[in-house]
Amino acid sequence: MGFRSRYCFLLFLVATSFSHLIVASVNRNTKNVQTALHAKWPGTPLLLEASELLSKQQHHLFWNFIDIWINANHNPNPDVNEADSHSYTAKYCVKKILEHGRSLLTEPLASLFEFSLILRSASPTIALYRQLAHDSLSSFPLIHHDNEIVETKSNNTRLDPLGVGVSLQSPGGKCCWIDTGEHLFFDVSELKAWLQNPHDPQQVGDSFQSPPVFDFDHVHFDSTSGSPVAILYGALGTNCFKEFHVALLEAAKQGKVKYVLRPVLPAGCEAQIGHCGSVGVSETVNLGGYGVELALKNMEYKAMDDSAIKKGVTLEDPRIEDLSQEVRGFIFSKILDRKPELASEIMAFRDYLLSSTISDTLDVWELKDLGHQTVQRIVHASDPLQSMQDINQNFPSIVSYLSRMKLDDSVRDEITANQRMIPPGKSLMAINGALISVEEIDLYMLIDLVHQDLLLADQFSKLKIPRSTARKLLSTLPPPESDMFRVDFRSTNVHYLNNLEEDGKYKWWRNNLNEILMPVFPGQLRQIRKNLFHAVFVIDPATTCGLESIDLIISLYENNFPVRFGVLLFSSKYITQLEDQSTKEDGDKFEDDVSDMIIRLFSYIKGNYGIEMAFKFLSNVNKLRDESDDDVEDAHLELHHVESAFVETILPKVKSPPQEILLKLKKEPELKELSQQSSKIVFKLGLSKIQCSLLMNGLFIDPTEEALLNALNDETQRLQEQVYFGQIKSHTDVLDKLLSEAGIQRYNPRIISDNKPRFISLSMFTFGEASILSGINYLHSPGTMDDLKPVTHLFAVDITIASGIKLLRQGLNYLIEGSKDARVGLLFSCNHTTNLFSLLFVKVFEITTSSYSHKKNALNFLDQLCSVYQQKYILTSLVEVDGTQAFIDEIGKLAESSGLPSESFRSSLSEFSADEVKSHLSEAEKFLSTTLGSESGVNAIFTNGRVTCPIDEGTFLSADLHLLESIELKKRTKHILEIIEEVKWQDVDPDMLTSKFISDIVMSVSSSMSMRERSSESARFEVLSDEHSAIILNSENSSIHIDAVLDPLSPTSQKLSGILRVLWKYIQPSMRIVLNPMSSLVDLPLKNYYRYVVPSMDDFSNTDSSINGPKAFFANMPLSKTLTMNLDVPEPWLVEPVLTVHDLDNILLENLGDTRTLQAAFELEALVLTGHCSEKDHDPPRGLQLILGTKTSPHLVDTLVMANLGYWQMKVAPGVWFLQLAPGRSSELYIFKEDDDGSKNRQSSKLITINSLRGKVVHMEVVKRKGKEDEKLLIPDDDDNLQDKKKGSSWNSNILKWASGFISSNEQSKNAESNSPETARGGRHGKTINIFSIASGHLYERFLKIMILSVLKNTHRPVKFWFIKNYLSPPFKDLIPHMSNEYGFEYELITYKWPTWLHKQKEKQRIIWAYKILFLDVIFPLSLEKVIFVDADQIVRTDMGELYDMDLKGRPLAYTPFCDNNREMDGYRFWRQGFWKDHLRGRPYHISALYVVDLKKFRETAAGDNLRVIYETLSKDPNSLANLDQDLPNYAQHTVPIFSLPQEWLWCESWCGNATKSKAKTIDLCNNPMTKEPKLQGARRIVSEWPDLDLEARTFTARVLGDDQEPIQSPNESNELKDPTNEETLKEDLESKAEL
């Protein structure tokens, strides 16, 4: 150590002396870059955000925090103690808020709360309440206070349709108000007067609309269900809030109101709130949780603007650098502590080290072990996470130092060994065992995942579960949602038509099971002589669909389908009798039941003449029905059809007359019994409610050929896997194996469905320890009361309606039948017409469950009680009912007959307190209101937290409860039970360890864990070695364990190293990160600097109430390298630069002059709402139009559904929105599935809540309306159906009826396709020409202005320009409105977020190219029918109206082919040889600088979907799509046809030569691969008018944006750029390949 110290000091002295030589130059020249990002919505108070964050922990903490804050006497009056106000700085206030908030939480939840608060993650929730407050005021337009608000909104609608940036103005100076739906109260006196008058909620409901209460709303826990709703809008800390809060609290406790609080602070109320209440309001919300990249830009062609930057713009002071970070082995903070007098020299030396080692290339031998050397450096560091972050975020400065490290063989050997099990460079990550996608992970998602596990751990500790057990529970994975449930239909009543293993028909087929593994053509079925697939149709043979199923079976059988077909027949009429126990079976006449007769005759024919004859009989029945009712759409089957079919079928086979046989069979009891037995089996399977169904190897599917084929393909894959792994052998009975492993005894679509069930937590800590859950007594099957019950059914029953009592009786029968694993708890509720009999009924159940549930006949007694109560007190009018004493006597008799002490019941019931029972009912209603959002009249079952609701009459039987029990036990409870049973309870009183205690624990844990959102996928990280190549951070007490495999030199690692450091700082999870670098690198893996932005307490000011917010700070960046700035934001964020004077595409810091720090500010413009839309058994409904808005403005944004995964997206802001199918063809044909009420005629909407920075993904299913099942959504223009055309009901004509184009930033899009001949801006007239372009960087924006001028100067028609806003600089966005006014054109800024499922480009230029072609169908408003793309660097010399009006001959795209008359370029025409020549097959290769898109045809032919599919296939190969925007449409032109434009539409010197220049209608500044001439030089030389247009554009820019640019020279005086051949050879730039 001594030697190292002396060495370092010697090196320090050398460096110090050397630094004297460089200090002057380095100190002067070091440059920094700083980036910030803020939200578009106005600032939100930190105090209100804190209360929101606490409500996410537990609902009641929200109210506790309010009480604590009010009682802490924070001064709400700014006039008092004014002298002390200086101490109320932002930092003081945030600490005070944290102090009160943390007092309600335990660690580590308290630390996570602190981080979430400084991260501002609850700000969107406050913005949502602001929107609701705005709507509340707007719904009372007559109130004069609101004038200002309405004005603000109307002025901003044009640029901000979602109202993101609109602030909520204080109405008439009032800061709080109450909304009851009927009134707005701004004074407490008005509220109190209203509260004095009793309100009957049912009567009130007729006169006005009660304001809606949402799931996220804060409803006070003392509120009474069913009371009038009173919503308080106001902010904690204001005087008015306290007054309203106290009044409402008292009213809620008295049962007068349902108190809902929505925290908002209107603008102008900051002065009326306590000092800390307004912190965060005065400035926009600065965000963290994103990355900023400065990429080293390779440049081959000079593509930078030569204009000088405008001076004088300054932002905030740059962040001070962190000197504790190691630089080349030195920690400068320590050196400065030791030698403060040499501070300037030390800093100069540090700057020199940072700036002198920038590398973007290394020799191959230096690259070879770079990944391994990096791992060694990280693992040996004192703080490995910090070291990994320093390396991968400053890689170009560190790489040369890393490459010279000596590599330890043990590191190399361990990495090599690990890479035998995981591919080199592969990254994985798991939290508590559940894998998360490293590509999609962001800080907000990770915080939510960690938070849910910490909440569970906190709950477990309150349940006294040991920490080691809690860890085990948290690491158990949820079952995969794709679990297959197979209905076990095995029975002698299944009639099989064929047997592949025995029938002679199949004797030529191979019986080798391995044939299933052999490849076949798509759609081909393998003919194997084994019963692998069993298709059993469960049908009522008297129904149309039942008989049609028979024809389908026979057709497939005759066509040698390799499936064993069978039928299971039932009579719907007989099953109805079976359900209605009051009807005697014998009362049914044979003649009345056609189904029963068919089943009997089928059984007879099968027994006497064979199965094929029996199926022929069924087919004949259908044939005769069809023949007799040719004209009727749904022909009715009658008895004579059946008899005739029977006679026709057996006539050739019998000697005696068939009619006689028929008469005998009617009296045959054995056939009757067979028929009834078959129906009973179907009833038991739960399939009797569905007229026709199909079980394919037990899987329930629709009885159609299409559904069967799909199911066969899916099942084949599952069987192939089992055959491959030897689980199915040649002698295996496949059906027995499948049904034994995954068979269930019954099918109920409410229990087994594709949708994930809803869950609630049944932990007493969720609802408070005094909640109704803690007092429930449970019923058990006889003799099992002392057994552990892993499954708990909670029945919520409305006892005033028959369906409630029916459900209750099914629950009792379920226990009487016997269940060893389940118990039943009861929650009674009643509607407002409750009477004394209902209360007595509840009391009897209460007495029985608490005192006599162990008695043998208790369940029978309760069942008889239900029967009596149902008959006498529900089904009978109350006028006819005797007094309550008669009911008590009846109860006494029932108790006596069941062996229960009747006197005990009589005495308890005679003295019972009605108020006590009412209180119990009220508690139950409050629980249901909290969990279900409904108060009464609802029957529900909570099975270990799984919600089954609502339950309709007759759809839920005791058998369904057995099914529910078995599924929940198998899927979600068994693995939890096994862990709980092993627990050695330390802190629990042994007397408490009853079976009820353990059952309660299992119920609580199972229900809470079912609510977790996490992946069911896992990985075996433990197989990887971690001695020499892993970061291991142990934290004994942590509930969170993170496993990861990371390539330390990857973009993923750049982001994750920052995220993991934050987690370690706040919650100290245990981590095991195995480093997995790429081996044998051939190029530098990272060519960028990166900063992950996270907030800290330092963001809060020590001197005033301001919050500076987190920023990305890059110190000492290279001066002579061109850098490009990119933001790495969470997927749902749409961001744009809003404040920077520099070209962020081409940052050259040596040009900054005296400015030390280049600063850029970005804005979170919107969040992205994405979704997937499906239609069962069909492809996604491509072209389906969706609109989103509010109740009052339903159409603010719109989009359409892609064929690719049914994907769609829209821009949204925090708030409550309604998603609807657009008026027109979409809503005429479709309806949301969950709103299907049978008639399929209602217009419906989906409620979308955006209250976090994570956006939202919506999965929805649509169904066709009744009678529209065969209609197509997209009707081509050339459709033969002229009638539809006359009505204007085609898809395209309907677009124009409704699409207003609010998807982007300008309301003028409504008129995008205006044909109006009226004079437009600047005297222009005619049909508007729509032109689309994209530019990034100041040079291309300069070109873009010139292109705009050239278009306008050559046409008299109105022109509208469409620009992709993602890449435009703030100065250009500031300029374009002025340019629009000056030159008389319209414009619109549009954007589209890259979908997560589509292969993403990494380089900015390739992303820009992709935007030119991949999203044309969805990026424009749906009302736009045609658009021309014109490259930014193009000059137009003709009227573009000619091109706009050109007939494209039905093609969706029109491009100009490449010229071929410049022979010098023949060597570069790659499309004339090799792959391209073969692929094009004589078609031309087109240039992408100018093209026309017929959007109508483009959408109609799904061209966008086809291009995305082809792109997805090709783009994963790094060697394909070199010129993405050009190669893709040319490659796809066999699928997406291109109309070739005449050659004169695009001339470019590189390819066309000067001979055709005079005819050119547009000139493009193509790059020349031979000369590599810079863009500006080429422009001035090639295009004669370019200098004048440039001068005009620059003069206008200087006039609008300021005069302090460099002096504008005339075209003749402009300085020519240096000849690139004399400069240092620059590296390849993708920008320059844009048009080859």
Side-chain angles (χ1 to χ4, degrees), residues 182-202:
E182 187 179 18
H183 306 284
L184 282 191
F185 299 128
F186 292 93
D187 293 309
V188 177
S189 55
E190 295 173 336
L191 171 68
K192 288 182 175 173
W194 180 73
L195 289 170
Q196 294 308 313
N197 303 317
H199 299 272
D200 181 348
Q202 291 188 324

Side-chain angles (χ1 to χ4, degrees), residues 1441-1627:
E1442 183 189 342
L1443 180 58
Y1444 197 78
D1445 298 336
M1446 188 177 288
D1447 180 8
L1448 306 186
K1449 311 294 183 192
R1451 312 278 172 98
L1453 294 169
Y1455 285 77
T1456 310
F1458 264 93
C1459 299
D1460 58 3
N1461 53 341
N1462 185 357
R1463 296 298 172 201
E1464 292 178 1
M1465 302 299 290
D1466 282 356
Y1468 294 92
R1469 291 189 170 89
F1470 57 82
W1471 55 89
R1472 289 187 171 176
Q1473 55 201 339
F1475 165 80
W1476 275 106
K1477 184 181 178 183
D1478 295 340
H1479 179 76
L1480 291 171
R1481 299 200 296 273
R1483 287 181 170 86
Y1485 184 88
H1486 304 83
I1487 189 166
S1488 65
L1490 174 81
Y1491 55 90
V1492 189
V1493 188
D1494 181 345
L1495 288 167
K1496 204 163 116 178
K1497 181 64 72 175
F1498 194 87
R1499 293 175 180 132
E1500 182 188 290
T1501 57
D1505 294 313
N1506 290 326
L1507 286 170
R1508 285 185 288 270
V1509 167
I1510 294 167
Y1511 164 81
E1512 183 71 11
T1513 308
L1514 297 178
S1515 61
K1516 290 173 183 174
D1517 176 1
N1519 299 315
S1520 69
L1521 298 180
N1523 305 292
L1524 195 159
D1525 59 320
Q1526 199 161 267
D1527 286 349
L1528 182 60
N1530 278 293
Y1531 179 89
Q1533 59 182 302
H1534 302 289
T1535 310
V1536 181
I1538 292 175
F1539 176 75
S1540 294
L1541 296 171
Q1543 198 69 65
E1544 64 265 18
W1545 273 105
L1546 195 142
W1547 182 91
C1548 131
E1549 185 186 65
S1550 307
W1551 305 99
C1552 300
N1554 289 319
T1556 54
K1557 184 176 179 181
S1558 58
K1559 296 178 185 174
K1561 295 187 175 182
T1562 69
I1563 294 179
D1564 188 67
L1565 300 174
C1566 300
N1567 292 309
N1568 190 317
M1570 289 179 68
T1571 64
K1572 297 185 171 57
E1573 181 180 25
K1575 283 272 183 186
L1576 286 173
Q1577 185 175 307
R1580 292 171 179 137
R1581 181 181 58 77
I1582 296 167
V1583 189
S1584 57
E1585 64 267 37
W1586 193 92
D1588 292 320
L1589 291 170
D1590 183 41
L1591 178 64
E1592 182 178 347
R1594 296 180 71 195
T1595 306
F1596 178 76
T1597 303
R1599 175 157 58 85
V1600 171
L1601 298 183
D1603 298 321
D1604 48 354
Q1605 289 195 330
E1606 70 168 18
I1608 294 175
Q1609 301 159 323
S1610 70
N1612 300 330
E1613 295 169 340
S1614 64
N1615 294 325
E1616 293 296 321
L1617 294 171
K1618 294 176 189 175
D1619 186 340
T1621 55
N1622 298 330
E1623 297 180 3
E1624 177 188 352
T1625 304
L1626 295 165
K1627 303 223 167 35

